[in-house]
Amino acid sequence: MTADTPLAHRQAQLVAALVTGATPPPGFAPGPLAAARAALLRKRAGEAARHWPLLAAGLGPRWPATFTEWAAGRPNPGGLRDGWDLARALQARAALPPLAAEELATREKLFRYDGHHPPR
């Protein structure tokens, strides 16, 4: 990449490195980018925990690692949808804690969510 590469393209590469773990663009050190990526995933986990407190509580000390491993490489649709998608993924593999299963069942009864569009 040269200095005349469009700024928008360089910015898109940087965002991809931060959000999906793509290869960092030239000129960026991988270490600081990895630290920033981890911080963004922790922030995202906190947002999901605010929307899904029983899911986070049910996983206890495993919450941060469970969430960040699941969320890495996934787009960020917001905390409500992140928690919903994670709860469904855990349920599918019989790993959803009982408190979270109740929280998910309540949400599934009250709202419609197809996994692609915002719940309604």
Side-chain angles (χ1 to χ4, degrees), residues 5-13:
T5 301
L7 177 60
H9 179 70
R10 293 193 313 255
Q11 289 173 330
Q13 287 183 310

Side-chain angles (χ1 to χ4, degrees), residues 17 33 108:
L33 277 178
E108 297 281 2

